[in-house]
């Protein structure tokens, strides 16, 4: 989906003649669209309305947040009430080509906003990378055990087990997302970003990083092609509230299981 064109069609956003400034119609907020982070914020805002169903009047752009003696601005705040007194979701946006270090900084920034205003959830996005967190149910410095698959859709208070389901419906028939075809340019950027993460700025051999990335791509393709019922989640993705760190990794175990299954089936001789 072209979210910018969708936002224009739904009169959520407007542009000046040379497309250098964006106007958020409901919020009556104008910003520099030449800023790389603004492009990400515009898409996130439109996704909140179109994909998640949040009313535009409950969404604030560049909202002032009191943090100690300082006043800063959160990229997006979604409120749980029409009066905009109960912050529900904080959205922190980073530029599309953000490095791992920049994205991690964005996570910390997002948490600082969310904790300051007692928001329940946090979404950190660079368009190419998305992390979601349950802020309210965990200590303020937690960054791993509280990672969730997705923010709730409007009207749904429960956290989803996963984000991507076969048929775009979860086990209970609620709205979810299915995998979709992305443009070649975006796929290339995602591969480059993933390789850079594996390479870790030279801490790991570049060819070794490339080999590990190839294994993950192999697992991802295999998982997408695997037969599964409508309403069941894909295995190659983040699940809510998984243990994430250096010890027991449920996510790692799932990916290793995909890799083992794929290698086993590919080695089977073809029937004549």
């Amino acid at each position: 989906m072209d979210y910018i064109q969708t936002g224009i069609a739904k009169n959520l956003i407007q542009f000046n003649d040379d497309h250098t400034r964006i106007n958020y119609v409901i919020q009556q907020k104008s910003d520099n669209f030449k800023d790389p982070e603004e492009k990400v914020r515009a898409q996130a805002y439109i996704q909140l309305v179109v994909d998640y169903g949040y009313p535009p009047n409950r969404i604030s752009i560049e909202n002032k947040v009191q943090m100690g003696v300082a006043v800063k601005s959160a990229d997006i705040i979604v409120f749980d009430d029409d009066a905009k007194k109960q912050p529900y979701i904080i959205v922190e946006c980073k530029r599309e080509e953000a490095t791992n270090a920049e994205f991690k900084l964005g996570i910390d920034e997002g948490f600082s906003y969310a904790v300051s205003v007692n928001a329940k959830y946090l979404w950190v996005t660079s368009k190419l990378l998305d992390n979601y967190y349950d802020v309210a149910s965990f200590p303020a410095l937690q960054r791993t055990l509280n990672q969730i698959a997705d923010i709730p859709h409007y009207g749904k208070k429960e956290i989803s087990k996963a984000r991507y389901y076969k048929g775009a419906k979860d086990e209970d028939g609620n709205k979810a997302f299915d995998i979709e075809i992305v443009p070649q340019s975006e796929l290339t950027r995602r591969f480059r970003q993933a390789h850079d993460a594996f390479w870790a700025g030279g801490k790991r051999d570049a060819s070794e990083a490339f080999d590990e990335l190839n294994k993950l791509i192999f697992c991802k393709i295999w998982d997408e092609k695997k037969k599964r019922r409508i309403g069941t989640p894909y295995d190659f993705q983040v699940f809510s509230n998984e243990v994430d760190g250096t010890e027991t990794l449920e996510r790692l175990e799932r990916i290793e299981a995909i890799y083992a299954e794929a290698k086993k089936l590919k080695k089977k001789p073809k029937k004549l």
Side-chain angles (χ1 to χ4, degrees):
M1 177 188 296
D2 187 329
Y3 285 101
I4 297 301
Q5 290 302 316
T6 299
I8 294 172
K10 292 182 176 293
N11 200 34
L12 296 172
I13 56 174
Q14 296 172 343
F15 290 93
N16 62 347
D17 292 339
D18 61 1
H19 227 69
T20 57
R21 295 198 64 81
I22 182 172
N23 178 45
Y24 297 91
V25 178
I26 304 299
Q27 293 76 15
Q28 297 183 358
K29 176 72 176 177
S30 178
D31 272 292
N32 178 17
F33 198 63
K34 295 168 69 176
D35 182 347
E37 288 191 5
E38 195 61 50
K39 293 178 171 63
V40 176
R41 177 162 64 178
Q43 174 159 319
Y45 166 61
I46 297 163
Q47 283 181 270
L48 286 167
V49 178
V50 174
D51 290 342
Y52 292 93
Y54 286 98
N57 65 296
R58 289 192 178 187
I59 301 175
S60 178
I61 304 292
E62 202 77 12
N63 196 96
K64 301 298 181 184
V65 174
Q66 187 75 41
M67 300 178 65
V69 297
V71 177
K72 297 188 177 181
S73 298
D75 288 326
I76 299 175
I77 299 182
V78 181
F79 291 87
D80 205 22
D81 62 321
D82 292 334
K84 293 185 179 180
K85 299 298 183 183
Q86 300 175 26
Y88 188 56
I89 302 169
I90 293 289
V91 184
E92 175 65 19
C93 303
K94 307 305 291 183
R95 65 188 180 95
E96 197 167 332
E97 302 297 339
T99 64
N100 280 339
E102 290 173 328
F103 194 80
K104 288 179 180 178
L105 178 61
I107 293 173
D108 287 332
E109 290 173 340
F111 267 97
S112 66
Y113 294 135
V115 171
S116 294
V117 300
N118 295 317
K120 188 166 180 60
Y121 299 105
L122 168 64
W123 172 19
V124 184
T125 179
S126 68
K127 185 180 175 183
L128 296 182
L129 184 61
D130 297 282
N131 277 23
Y132 310 92
Y133 297 92
D134 177 358
V135 180
S137 303
F138 291 83
L141 297 181
Q142 182 59 255
R143 299 290 187 273
T144 52
L145 299 179
N146 56 347
Q147 188 172 1
I148 56 178
D150 201 0
I151 54 173
H153 287 70
Y154 179 64
K156 181 185 177 186
K157 299 299 182 180
E158 299 82 12
I159 298 173
S160 297
K161 173 185 176 182
R163 174 179 169 85
Y164 298 102
Y165 286 82
K166 184 72 174 181
K169 296 284 185 181
D170 66 15
E171 298 97 328
D172 300 319
N174 297 311
K175 182 180 178 181
F177 297 92
D178 202 342
I179 57 176
E180 58 185 27
I181 297 173
V182 300
Q184 180 65 44
S185 59
E186 183 172 337
L187 191 62
T188 300
R189 288 199 300 273
R190 289 175 185 264
F191 284 164
R192 186 185 301 116
Q193 187 179 56
H195 179 267
D196 289 346
F198 275 110
W199 183 51
K203 294 179 181 179
R204 175 180 287 169
D205 180 75
S207 61
E208 179 186 352
F210 183 73
D211 288 342
E212 293 302 312
L213 177 59
N214 278 342
K215 290 178 184 177
L216 287 178
I217 293 172
F218 173 71
C219 290
K220 181 68 169 69
I221 294 173
W222 190 271
D223 186 52
E224 289 181 4
K225 292 184 176 181
K226 182 178 179 180
K227 291 184 178 179
R228 49 172 42 87
R229 298 191 311 276
I230 298 294
T232 56
Y234 294 90
D235 293 315
F236 194 101
Q237 62 174 314
V238 173
F239 283 3
S240 292
N241 303 127
E242 288 185 314
V243 176
D244 192 4
T246 58
E247 293 120 34
T248 305
L249 295 172
E250 297 176 29
R251 198 177 313 158
L252 175 60
E253 291 172 356
R254 284 202 315 277
I255 294 173
E256 287 180 337
I258 295 170
Y259 190 64
E261 177 189 27
K263 287 201 304 181
K264 180 180 179 181
L265 293 177
K266 283 182 74 68
K267 287 180 179 179
K268 284 187 176 181
K270 294 182 178 180
K271 294 181 179 181
L272 298 176

